[in-house]
Amino acid sequence: MGAQVTLLGLDFGSTTSCAVAASATLTRAAGSGRAELGALEERYRSEMALTPFAGDALDLDAAAALLDRWLAEAGVAPGALFGGGAIITGLAARRSNADALAALIRARVGEALLAVAEDPCLESWVAFMGSAAPLSRARPGEPLVNLDIGGGTTNIALGVAGEVQRTGCLLVGARHVALDPRSRRLRALSPEARAAFDHLGLRRGPGEVLSQAEAEVVVAFYVDLIEAAITGRAGALDAPAAARHVQVPFALPEGIAAPTLTFSGGVGELIYAGLAGRPLPEPAHHGDLGVDLARAILASPRLSARVATPASMGRATAYGLLRHATQLSGATLFLPRPERLPLRDLPILARLSPVSSDAELDHAVDLFCRSTRGGCLEIALDDVSAATLKRLGARIAGALRRAGSIPEHPLVLLTAKNAGKTLGGYVTGWGALPIDLLVIDEVKAHGARFVQVGRLCDQILPVSFYGMTP
C-alpha cells in the first residue's frame, strides 16, 4: 500500500461553480511498476453554487468565502493536497479579474493545484475525461465526441479508445442571453449574443421582452453552429456572425466514421433528462436560454440520432480536473535537487527527438537560456536503448555548452518513456555539466504549452499540463 493523497477539482463557470474532493492511494501497477492512483474515493461533492459576480467583474471576496467553505466541508487542508486542478470557464473566464481569481485559488490551496483562467482546450479535454472517457474506452473502435455545453461555451473533444485526439470550443451557451425568468425581459447580452441578434434581425436590448419565438430563432442559430462544427461544414462558420462564436476551431479527421455523441455541462444534464423522458423546466426558468437550447438539440436529427449516455454526467469539468489533470511521473526520475520543487508555469519550449538536427537543438537551448524562469523540452523516444540515450544526451549537452554560460534556472526534460534517470545522467555527464536538470519520465504532455511540477511524494512527482493546443 502506498501513500494516501488528496485530490481536488474546482470549476468556476458562467453561471455555477462547484468543488469535488477525493482520496486516493499511490500504487504501482503489477508487472510494469507504473505509478497509478488507486482506490479513488470521492469524499466530497459540493452543491452547485452561483458563481459570484460584482457588476462586470468576479466577486473575489465572495469567491474566497465559497472556496473556504468548500475546503472546510471537505476537510481538506490546503498543504495536504497532492494534485487536481481549478479552472475558470465560459463567461466567468472573460471577466477582467479572472486571473486574480486564479491567483486567489493558488494562494488558498498551495502549489499543488493547477489553477488557470480560460484554457478552452484544457476544458474540452478534462470534460471528455471526466464524462466520456470510460465509455470511450469501453468502445475502442468507435469515435466519440463529447459536447460540454454550459453557460458560456460549448467545449468539443473527439476521443478514440479513451484518448482525446481533437479539441475545439464555440462561444455558444445558455448564459449569453440573460433573462428575467418571469417577465422575459432581457437583463444582459454578451458581445457574441449581440452579434447573433444583429445577424438574425432581432432588435432587442436590455429591458425589452424577448418572445419565445425570438428565443427559438436564437437557439436555432446556436444549434446550426454546433452541427456545423461536428459535421465538418466549416464553411458555415465563416460568416462574420458565426465566426464570432468560434473560439477554437474544431475539425473531424478526414475519413472518420460518424461519431457517437455524449453531452456534459448544465445544458447536457437537461438533454439527458429529456432523453430519459423527464419533463424539462419551463423556458427561461433559469434566467437564460438553457432549456430552449436543450430542447432544440433534442429536436436536431444530427445531434440526437447517435447519443450515448456516460456513467457520470454531472460536474464533468471538476471531476476531470480532479482525476486527470494530474499525471504521475515514472519511478526513474532524474532529480538531483528535490528541494527546488515545486515548479510552476514552466513553458514547454520545444519538442525534440533523437533525429532532431543540431540547429533544432541549438534553437531549443537558446529559448531555454533566454527564459527568465526556466523551461521544458519534450523528448519523443521510440528507442530507449543505452546507445540512443547516450547519443541524445551528449547532443543536448553539446548544445548547452555551445550556448555559453548555462543559466541557473531549471531545465526540465519530459518523456513518455521509462528513461529519466539514464537520459539525465548522459545529459549532465553524470554530474560534470553544471545545470539544474530534472528529467520526468512516463508522462504525456498532450500538446500542452505549460507544465507544473509538484513536490515529491513516495518517490513520485505530480505533474500537470495546461495551455493545450486543439
Side-chain angles (χ1 to χ4, degrees):
M1 185 70 70
Q4 297 290 314
V5 298
T6 301
L7 308 169
L8 182 67
L10 302 170
D11 179 14
F12 287 85
S14 302
T15 308
T16 58
S17 301
C18 65
V20 182
S23 300
T25 302
L26 295 180
T27 63
R28 298 283 180 184
S32 68
R34 177 77 177 90
E36 296 179 343
L37 287 170
L40 186 72
E41 181 180 354
E42 184 179 306
R43 57 192 261 188
Y44 176 74
R45 178 177 287 233
S46 74
E47 295 293 326
M48 300 298 289
L50 291 175
T51 300
F53 294 101
D56 292 332
L58 291 158
D59 187 333
L60 298 182
D61 290 338
L66 189 61
L67 181 56
D68 289 341
R69 175 163 64 84
W70 286 339
L71 293 173
E73 290 175 352
V76 172
L81 286 171
F82 178 76
I87 192 166
I88 306 162
T89 62
L91 299 179
R94 302 170 69 189
R95 301 303 171 108
S96 60
N97 60 345
D99 286 333
L101 176 55
L104 183 153
I105 294 169
R106 288 178 174 179
R108 282 292 196 281
V109 301
E111 297 292 316
L113 202 70
L114 174 72
V116 295
E118 194 171 38
D119 189 341
C121 291
L122 174 62
E123 186 181 352
S124 298
W125 185 82
V126 297
F128 182 96
M129 298 304 294
S131 175
L135 184 63
S136 177
R137 285 192 289 269
R139 304 180 179 189
E142 183 177 352
L144 192 152
V145 168
N146 187 68
L147 297 168
D148 185 71
I149 310 175
T153 56
T154 295
N155 290 89
I156 311 169
L158 165 69
V160 177
E163 294 291 329
V164 174
Q165 297 189 351
R166 299 279 179 94
T167 59
C169 182
L170 299 176
L171 294 171
V172 170
R175 207 70 181 177
H176 285 275
V177 177
L179 298 165
D180 180 271
R182 293 184 178 180
S183 68
R184 297 190 61 90
R185 291 188 183 277
L186 288 166
R187 288 177 168 172
L189 295 175
S190 73
E192 289 73 29
R194 171 51 63 195
F197 273 42
D198 291 344
H199 171 72
L200 297 168
L202 299 177
R203 309 306 177 195
R204 296 284 182 267
E208 296 182 284
V209 173
L210 185 73
S211 71
Q212 180 60 32
E214 290 169 330
E216 290 171 1
V217 169
V218 176
V219 297
F221 173 74
Y222 287 164
V223 167
D224 189 62
L225 296 178
I226 298 172
E227 290 178 348
I230 67 167
T231 58
R233 291 191 293 120
L237 299 171
D238 291 339
R244 181 71 181 264
H245 290 76
V246 179
Q247 187 173 25
V248 180
F250 176 82
L252 289 172
E254 290 187 11
I256 194 170
T260 298
L261 301 183
T262 57
F263 296 91
S264 56
V267 176
E269 292 188 30
L270 291 170
I271 290 168
Y272 282 114
L275 288 171
R278 297 194 296 273
L280 298 185
E282 290 297 314
H285 174 79
H286 299 294
D288 55 30
L289 298 185
V291 175
D292 295 289
L293 184 53
R295 291 183 188 277
I297 289 171
L298 287 166
S300 164
R302 289 189 177 94
L303 299 180
S304 62
R306 295 174 56 86
V307 176
T309 304
S312 175
M313 293 177 288
R315 299 172 175 81
T317 300
Y319 187 78
L321 285 163
L322 175 146
R323 182 63 182 86
H324 300 285
T326 300
Q327 294 188 46
L328 305 184
S329 70
T332 60
L333 294 164
F334 184 83
L335 182 59
R337 298 182 61 189
E339 71 279 3
R340 290 276 286 181
L341 302 175
L343 300 174
R344 179 178 289 285
D345 302 331
L346 291 185
I348 298 176
L349 302 168
R351 290 171 170 83
L352 304 170
S353 75
V355 298
S356 296
S357 66
D358 285 345
E360 290 172 322
L361 291 175
D362 288 342
H363 177 65
V365 167
D366 179 64
L367 291 174
F368 161 69
C369 292
R370 292 174 183 272
S371 170
T372 59
R373 59 186 300 116
C376 302
L377 304 177
E378 185 181 357
I379 310 296
L381 293 170
D382 292 325
D383 175 16
V384 291
S385 66
T388 296
L389 296 177
K390 183 176 182 178
R391 283 194 298 271
L392 178 60
R395 293 183 64 213
I396 295 173
L400 288 164
R401 290 191 176 95
R402 288 192 296 274
S405 177
I406 296 176
E408 294 184 1
H409 52 238
L411 173 63
V412 177
L413 304 184
L414 306 165
T415 178
K417 297 295 186 179
N418 183 355
K421 194 177 294 294
T422 303
L423 181 59
Y426 282 128
V427 170
T428 61
W430 307 102
L433 187 68
I435 183 170
D436 185 5
L437 180 70
L438 166 61
V439 185
I440 304 175
D441 59 2
E442 298 189 66
V443 293
K444 295 180 180 180
H446 298 292
R449 297 191 298 272
F450 297 93
V451 65
Q452 175 177 309
V453 184
R455 288 189 173 87
L456 197 66
C457 179
D458 203 18
Q459 301 306 306
I460 295 170
L461 285 180
V463 185
S464 302
F465 297 96
Y466 67 99
M468 294 181 178
T469 53

